[in-house]
Amino acid sequence: MRLRTLGYAAAAGIATFLVVFAAVSELLLPYIEFSVLVGLPAGIAAGVLIAAVVLVQVGRDGDPTRRWLARGLGAFGVTFLAVFVVVGFGAGVTIAIAAGTLLGILTGIVVGVRSRRGRESLSAG
């Protein structure tokens, strides 16, 4: 297993944790006083699940037909964390999460589609 694969898995897991934690906590805030206590385990579970998917699918034993999804998730994680760190210092956490999520999703889609098309062209030829 290469260091890049571990980096993609860690970035995707941390980014997913942050997004799910913030979303669940904010959505449950009007109903539950300590919504953070629900958002934290939900974020951890989602982050671990996504990190495991990326680690297994990008690693050596991963199914080549599903590797495009894992690469897209890894690209989302890296982009989200980069935007979150850069924007977070100047604009605040809420804008950083929104901008990171939007740019991360766009980057993940582009990387996933390009990876899938590359795989399809290799199998056709």
Coordinates of all heavy atoms in Angstrom, one line a residue, residues 46-117:
A46 N -19.6 7.8 9.4 CA -19.5 8.1 8.0 C -18.0 8.3 7.5 O -17.6 7.8 6.5 CB -20.3 9.4 7.7
G47 N -17.2 8.9 8.3 CA -15.8 9.1 8.0 C -15.0 7.8 7.9 O -14.3 7.6 7.0
V48 N -15.3 6.9 8.8 CA -14.6 5.6 8.8 C -15.0 4.8 7.7 O -14.2 4.1 7.0 CB -14.8 4.9 10.2 CG1 -14.4 3.4 10.1 CG2 -14.1 5.6 11.3
L49 N -16.3 4.8 7.4 CA -16.9 4.1 6.2 C -16.3 4.5 4.9 O -15.8 3.7 4.1 CB -18.4 4.2 6.2 CG -19.1 3.5 5.0 CD1 -18.9 2.0 5.1 CD2 -20.5 3.9 4.9
I50 N -16.2 5.8 4.7 CA -15.7 6.4 3.4 C -14.2 6.1 3.4 O -13.7 5.8 2.3 CB -16.0 7.9 3.3 CG1 -17.5 8.1 3.2 CG2 -15.3 8.5 2.1 CD1 -18.1 7.4 1.9
A51 N -13.5 6.3 4.5 CA -12.0 6.0 4.4 C -11.8 4.5 4.1 O -10.8 4.2 3.4 CB -11.4 6.4 5.8
A52 N -12.6 3.6 4.6 CA -12.4 2.2 4.3 C -12.7 1.9 2.9 O -12.0 1.1 2.2 CB -13.3 1.4 5.2
V53 N -13.7 2.5 2.3 CA -14.0 2.3 0.9 C -12.9 2.8 0.0 O -12.5 2.1 -0.9 CB -15.3 3.1 0.5 CG1 -15.5 3.2 -1.0 CG2 -16.5 2.4 1.1
V54 N -12.4 4.0 0.3 CA -11.2 4.5 -0.5 C -10.0 3.6 -0.3 O -9.3 3.3 -1.3 CB -10.9 6.0 -0.1 CG1 -9.6 6.4 -0.8 CG2 -12.1 6.9 -0.5
L55 N -9.7 3.2 0.9 CA -8.5 2.4 1.1 C -8.6 1.0 0.4 O -7.7 0.6 -0.2 CB -8.4 2.2 2.6 CG -7.1 1.7 3.2 CD1 -6.0 2.7 2.8 CD2 -7.1 1.5 4.7
V56 N -9.8 0.4 0.5 CA -9.9 -0.9 -0.2 C -10.0 -0.8 -1.7 O -9.4 -1.6 -2.4 CB -11.2 -1.6 0.4 CG1 -11.5 -2.9 -0.5 CG2 -11.0 -2.0 1.8
Q57 N -10.7 0.2 -2.2 CA -10.9 0.3 -3.7 C -9.7 0.8 -4.4 O -9.5 0.5 -5.5 CB -12.1 1.1 -4.0 CG -13.4 0.4 -3.6 CD -13.6 -1.0 -4.2 OE1 -13.3 -1.2 -5.3 NE2 -14.1 -1.9 -3.4
V58 N -8.9 1.7 -3.8 CA -7.8 2.3 -4.5 C -6.6 1.4 -4.3 O -5.6 1.4 -5.1 CB -7.5 3.7 -4.0 CG1 -6.2 4.3 -4.6 CG2 -8.6 4.6 -4.4
G59 N -6.6 0.6 -3.2 CA -5.5 -0.3 -2.9 C -5.3 -1.4 -3.9 O -6.0 -1.5 -4.9
R60 N -4.4 -2.2 -3.7 CA -4.0 -3.3 -4.7 C -5.2 -4.3 -4.9 O -5.3 -4.8 -6.0 CB -2.8 -4.0 -4.2 CG -1.6 -3.2 -4.2 CD -0.4 -4.1 -3.8 NE 0.7 -3.2 -3.4 CZ 1.8 -3.6 -2.9 NH1 2.0 -4.9 -2.8 NH2 2.8 -2.8 -2.6
D61 N -5.9 -4.6 -3.9 CA -6.9 -5.6 -4.0 C -8.3 -5.0 -4.4 O -9.3 -5.8 -4.5 CB -7.1 -6.3 -2.6 CG -5.9 -7.0 -2.2 OD1 -5.1 -7.4 -3.1 OD2 -5.7 -7.1 -1.0
G62 N -8.4 -3.8 -4.8 CA -9.6 -3.1 -5.1 C -10.1 -3.6 -6.5 O -9.4 -4.0 -7.4
D63 N -11.4 -3.6 -6.6 CA -12.1 -3.9 -7.9 C -11.8 -2.8 -8.9 O -12.2 -1.7 -8.6 CB -13.6 -4.2 -7.7 CG -14.3 -4.6 -8.9 OD1 -13.6 -5.0 -9.9 OD2 -15.5 -4.6 -8.9
P64 N -11.2 -3.1 -10.0 CA -10.9 -2.0 -11.0 C -12.1 -1.3 -11.5 O -12.1 -0.1 -11.9 CB -10.2 -2.7 -12.1 CG -9.7 -4.0 -11.6 CD -10.6 -4.3 -10.5
T65 N -13.3 -2.0 -11.5 CA -14.5 -1.3 -12.1 C -15.1 -0.3 -11.1 O -15.8 0.6 -11.4 CB -15.6 -2.4 -12.4 OG1 -15.9 -3.1 -11.2 CG2 -15.1 -3.3 -13.5
R66 N -14.7 -0.4 -9.8 CA -15.2 0.5 -8.8 C -14.2 1.5 -8.3 O -14.4 2.3 -7.4 CB -15.8 -0.2 -7.6 CG -17.0 -0.9 -7.9 CD -17.6 -1.5 -6.6 NE -18.0 -2.9 -6.9 CZ -18.0 -3.9 -6.1 NH1 -17.6 -3.7 -4.9 NH2 -18.4 -5.0 -6.4
R67 N -13.0 1.4 -8.9 CA -11.9 2.3 -8.4 C -12.2 3.8 -8.7 O -11.7 4.7 -8.0 CB -10.6 1.9 -9.1 CG -9.4 2.4 -8.5 CD -8.2 1.8 -9.0 NE -8.1 0.4 -8.5 CZ -7.3 -0.5 -9.0 NH1 -6.5 -0.2 -10.0 NH2 -7.3 -1.7 -8.5
W68 N -13.0 4.1 -9.7 CA -13.3 5.5 -10.1 C -14.1 6.2 -8.9 O -13.8 7.3 -8.7 CB -14.2 5.5 -11.4 CG -15.5 4.9 -11.3 CD1 -15.8 3.6 -11.5 CD2 -16.7 5.5 -10.9 NE1 -17.1 3.3 -11.3 CE2 -17.7 4.5 -10.9 CE3 -17.1 6.8 -10.5 CZ2 -19.1 4.7 -10.6 CZ3 -18.4 7.0 -10.2 CH2 -19.4 6.0 -10.2
L69 N -14.9 5.4 -8.3 CA -15.7 6.0 -7.1 C -14.7 6.4 -6.0 O -14.8 7.5 -5.4 CB -16.8 5.1 -6.6 CG -17.5 5.5 -5.4 CD1 -18.3 6.8 -5.7 CD2 -18.4 4.4 -4.9
A70 N -13.8 5.5 -5.7 CA -12.9 5.7 -4.6 C -11.9 6.9 -5.0 O -11.6 7.7 -4.1 CB -12.0 4.5 -4.3
R71 N -11.5 7.0 -6.2 CA -10.7 8.1 -6.6 C -11.4 9.4 -6.5 O -10.9 10.5 -6.1 CB -10.1 7.9 -8.0 CG -9.1 6.9 -8.0 CD -8.4 6.7 -9.4 NE -7.4 5.7 -9.3 CZ -7.0 5.1 -10.4 NH1 -7.5 5.2 -11.6 NH2 -6.0 4.2 -10.2
G72 N -12.7 9.4 -6.9 CA -13.5 10.6 -6.7 C -13.7 11.0 -5.3 O -13.7 12.2 -4.9
L73 N -13.9 10.1 -4.4 CA -14.1 10.4 -3.0 C -12.7 10.9 -2.4 O -12.7 11.8 -1.6 CB -14.5 9.1 -2.2 CG -15.9 8.6 -2.4 CD1 -16.1 7.3 -1.8 CD2 -16.9 9.6 -1.9
G74 N -11.6 10.3 -2.8 CA -10.3 10.8 -2.4 C -10.1 12.2 -2.8 O -9.6 13.1 -2.1
A75 N -10.4 12.5 -4.1 CA -10.3 13.9 -4.6 C -11.2 14.9 -3.9 O -10.8 16.0 -3.6 CB -10.6 13.9 -6.1
F76 N -12.4 14.4 -3.5 CA -13.3 15.3 -2.8 C -12.6 15.6 -1.4 O -12.6 16.8 -1.0 CB -14.6 14.6 -2.5 CG -15.4 15.2 -1.4 CD1 -16.1 16.4 -1.6 CD2 -15.4 14.6 -0.1 CE1 -16.8 16.9 -0.5 CE2 -16.1 15.2 0.9 CZ -16.8 16.3 0.7
G77 N -12.1 14.6 -0.8 CA -11.5 14.9 0.5 C -10.3 15.8 0.5 O -10.2 16.7 1.3
V78 N -9.4 15.6 -0.5 CA -8.2 16.5 -0.6 C -8.7 17.9 -0.9 O -8.2 18.9 -0.3 CB -7.3 16.0 -1.7 CG1 -6.2 16.9 -2.0 CG2 -6.7 14.6 -1.2
T79 N -9.6 18.1 -1.8 CA -10.1 19.4 -2.2 C -10.8 20.1 -1.0 O -10.6 21.3 -0.8 CB -11.0 19.3 -3.4 OG1 -10.3 18.7 -4.5 CG2 -11.4 20.7 -3.9
F80 N -11.7 19.3 -0.4 CA -12.4 19.9 0.8 C -11.5 20.4 1.8 O -11.6 21.5 2.3 CB -13.3 18.9 1.4 CG -14.1 19.4 2.6 CD1 -15.2 20.1 2.5 CD2 -13.5 19.1 3.8 CE1 -15.9 20.5 3.6 CE2 -14.2 19.6 5.0 CZ -15.4 20.3 4.9
L81 N -10.5 19.6 2.2 CA -9.6 20.0 3.3 C -8.7 21.2 2.9 O -8.5 22.1 3.7 CB -8.7 18.8 3.7 CG -9.4 17.7 4.4 CD1 -8.4 16.6 4.7 CD2 -10.1 18.2 5.7
A82 N -8.3 21.3 1.6 CA -7.5 22.4 1.1 C -8.3 23.7 1.2 O -7.9 24.7 1.7 CB -7.0 22.1 -0.3
V83 N -9.5 23.6 0.7 CA -10.4 24.8 0.7 C -10.8 25.2 2.1 O -10.8 26.4 2.5 CB -11.7 24.6 -0.2 CG1 -12.7 25.7 0.0 CG2 -11.3 24.4 -1.7
F84 N -11.1 24.2 2.9 CA -11.4 24.4 4.3 C -10.3 25.2 5.1 O -10.6 26.1 5.8 CB -11.8 23.1 5.0 CG -12.3 23.3 6.4 CD1 -13.6 23.7 6.7 CD2 -11.5 22.9 7.5 CE1 -14.0 23.8 7.9 CE2 -11.9 23.1 8.8 CZ -13.2 23.5 9.0
V85 N -9.1 24.8 4.9 CA -8.0 25.4 5.5 C -7.7 26.8 5.0 O -7.6 27.8 5.8 CB -6.7 24.6 5.4 CG1 -5.5 25.3 5.9 CG2 -6.8 23.3 6.2
V86 N -7.8 27.0 3.7 CA -7.5 28.3 3.1 C -8.6 29.3 3.3 O -8.3 30.4 3.8 CB -7.2 28.1 1.6 CG1 -7.1 29.5 0.9 CG2 -5.9 27.3 1.3
V87 N -9.8 28.9 3.1 CA -10.9 29.8 3.3 C -11.3 30.0 4.8 O -11.7 31.1 5.2 CB -12.2 29.3 2.5 CG1 -13.4 30.2 2.8 CG2 -11.9 29.3 1.0
G88 N -11.1 29.0 5.6 CA -11.4 29.1 7.0 C -10.7 30.1 7.8 O -11.3 30.7 8.7
F89 N -9.5 30.5 7.4 CA -8.8 31.5 8.1 C -9.4 32.9 7.9 O -9.3 33.7 8.7 CB -7.3 31.5 7.8 CG -6.6 30.3 8.4 CD1 -5.9 29.4 7.6 CD2 -6.6 30.2 9.8 CE1 -5.3 28.3 8.2 CE2 -5.9 29.1 10.4 CZ -5.2 28.2 9.6
G90 N -9.9 33.1 6.7 CA -10.4 34.5 6.4 C -11.9 34.7 6.5 O -12.3 35.7 6.9
A91 N -12.6 33.6 6.1 CA -14.1 33.8 6.0 C -14.9 33.2 7.1 O -16.1 33.5 7.2 CB -14.5 33.3 4.6
G92 N -14.4 32.3 7.8 CA -15.1 31.6 8.9 C -15.4 30.2 8.5 O -15.3 29.7 7.4
V93 N -15.9 29.4 9.5 CA -16.1 28.0 9.4 C -17.3 27.7 8.5 O -17.2 26.8 7.6 CB -16.3 27.4 10.8 CG1 -16.6 25.9 10.7 CG2 -15.0 27.6 11.6
T94 N -18.4 28.4 8.6 CA -19.6 28.1 7.8 C -19.3 28.2 6.3 O -19.6 27.4 5.5 CB -20.7 29.0 8.2 OG1 -20.9 28.8 9.6 CG2 -22.0 28.6 7.5
I95 N -18.7 29.3 6.0 CA -18.4 29.6 4.5 C -17.3 28.6 4.1 O -17.4 28.1 2.9 CB -18.0 31.0 4.3 CG1 -19.2 31.9 4.6 CG2 -17.4 31.2 2.9 CD1 -18.9 33.4 4.5
A96 N -16.4 28.3 4.9 CA -15.3 27.3 4.5 C -15.9 25.9 4.3 O -15.5 25.3 3.3 CB -14.3 27.2 5.6
I97 N -16.9 25.5 5.1 CA -17.5 24.2 4.9 C -18.3 24.2 3.6 O -18.3 23.2 2.8 CB -18.3 23.8 6.1 CG1 -17.4 23.4 7.3 CG2 -19.3 22.6 5.8 CD1 -18.2 23.1 8.6
A98 N -19.1 25.3 3.4 CA -19.9 25.3 2.2 C -19.1 25.4 0.9 O -19.3 24.6 0.0 CB -20.8 26.6 2.3
A99 N -18.0 26.2 0.9 CA -17.2 26.3 -0.3 C -16.4 25.0 -0.5 O -16.2 24.5 -1.6 CB -16.2 27.5 -0.1
G100 N -15.9 24.4 0.6 CA -15.1 23.2 0.5 C -16.0 22.0 0.0 O -15.6 21.2 -0.8
T101 N -17.2 22.0 0.5 CA -18.2 20.9 0.0 C -18.5 21.1 -1.5 O -18.4 20.1 -2.3 CB -19.5 20.9 0.8 OG1 -19.1 20.8 2.2 CG2 -20.4 19.9 0.4
L102 N -18.8 22.3 -1.9 CA -19.1 22.6 -3.3 C -17.9 22.3 -4.2 O -18.1 21.5 -5.2 CB -19.6 24.0 -3.5 CG -19.9 24.4 -4.9 CD1 -21.2 23.7 -5.3 CD2 -20.1 25.9 -5.0
L103 N -16.8 22.8 -3.9 CA -15.6 22.6 -4.8 C -15.2 21.1 -4.7 O -14.7 20.6 -5.7 CB -14.5 23.5 -4.4 CG -14.7 25.0 -4.8 CD1 -13.6 25.8 -4.2 CD2 -14.8 25.1 -6.3
G104 N -15.3 20.5 -3.5 CA -14.9 19.1 -3.4 C -15.8 18.2 -4.2 O -15.3 17.2 -4.8
I105 N -17.1 18.5 -4.2 CA -18.0 17.6 -5.0 C -17.7 17.8 -6.5 O -17.7 16.8 -7.2 CB -19.5 18.0 -4.7 CG1 -19.9 17.5 -3.3 CG2 -20.4 17.5 -5.7 CD1 -21.2 18.0 -2.8
L106 N -17.5 19.0 -6.9 CA -17.2 19.2 -8.3 C -15.9 18.5 -8.7 O -15.8 17.9 -9.8 CB -17.1 20.7 -8.6 CG -18.4 21.5 -8.6 CD1 -18.1 23.0 -8.7 CD2 -19.3 21.0 -9.6
T107 N -14.9 18.7 -7.9 CA -13.6 18.0 -8.2 C -13.7 16.5 -8.1 O -13.2 15.8 -9.0 CB -12.5 18.4 -7.2 OG1 -12.4 19.8 -7.2 CG2 -11.2 17.8 -7.5
G108 N -14.5 16.0 -7.2 CA -14.7 14.5 -7.1 C -15.4 14.0 -8.3 O -15.1 12.9 -8.8
I109 N -16.4 14.7 -8.8 CA -17.1 14.3 -10.0 C -16.2 14.3 -11.2 O -16.2 13.3 -12.0 CB -18.4 15.2 -10.2 CG1 -19.4 14.9 -9.2 CG2 -18.9 15.0 -11.6 CD1 -20.6 15.9 -9.2
V110 N -15.4 15.3 -11.4 CA -14.5 15.4 -12.5 C -13.5 14.3 -12.5 O -13.3 13.6 -13.5 CB -13.8 16.8 -12.6 CG1 -12.7 16.8 -13.6 CG2 -14.8 17.9 -12.9
V111 N -12.9 14.1 -11.3 CA -11.9 13.0 -11.2 C -12.5 11.6 -11.4 O -11.9 10.8 -12.1 CB -11.1 13.1 -9.8 CG1 -10.3 11.8 -9.6 CG2 -10.3 14.3 -9.8
G112 N -13.7 11.4 -10.8 CA -14.3 10.1 -11.0 C -14.7 9.8 -12.4 O -14.5 8.7 -12.9
V113 N -15.3 10.8 -13.1 CA -15.7 10.6 -14.5 C -14.4 10.4 -15.4 O -14.4 9.5 -16.2 CB -16.5 11.8 -15.0 CG1 -16.6 11.8 -16.5 CG2 -17.8 11.9 -14.3
R114 N -13.4 11.2 -15.1 CA -12.2 11.0 -15.9 C -11.5 9.6 -15.7 O -11.0 8.9 -16.6 CB -11.1 12.1 -15.6 CG -11.6 13.4 -16.2 CD -10.5 14.4 -16.1 NE -9.4 14.0 -17.0 CZ -8.3 14.6 -17.1 NH1 -8.1 15.7 -16.4 NH2 -7.3 14.2 -17.9
S115 N -11.6 9.2 -14.4 CA -11.0 7.9 -14.1 C -11.8 6.7 -14.7 O -11.3 5.8 -15.2 CB -10.9 7.7 -12.6 OG -10.4 6.5 -12.2
R116 N -13.1 6.9 -14.7 CA -14.0 5.9 -15.3 C -13.9 5.8 -16.8 O -13.9 4.7 -17.3 CB -15.5 6.2 -14.9 CG -16.4 5.1 -15.3 CD -17.8 5.3 -14.7 NE -18.6 4.2 -14.9 CZ -19.8 4.0 -14.5 NH1 -20.4 5.0 -13.8 NH2 -20.5 2.9 -14.7
R117 N -13.8 7.0 -17.4 CA -13.6 7.0 -18.9 C -12.3 6.4 -19.3 O -12.2 5.7 -20.3 CB -13.7 8.4 -19.4 CG -15.1 8.9 -19.5 CD -15.2 10.2 -20.2 NE -16.6 10.7 -20.2 CZ -16.9 11.9 -20.4 NH1 -16.0 12.8 -20.6 NH2 -18.2 12.2 -20.4

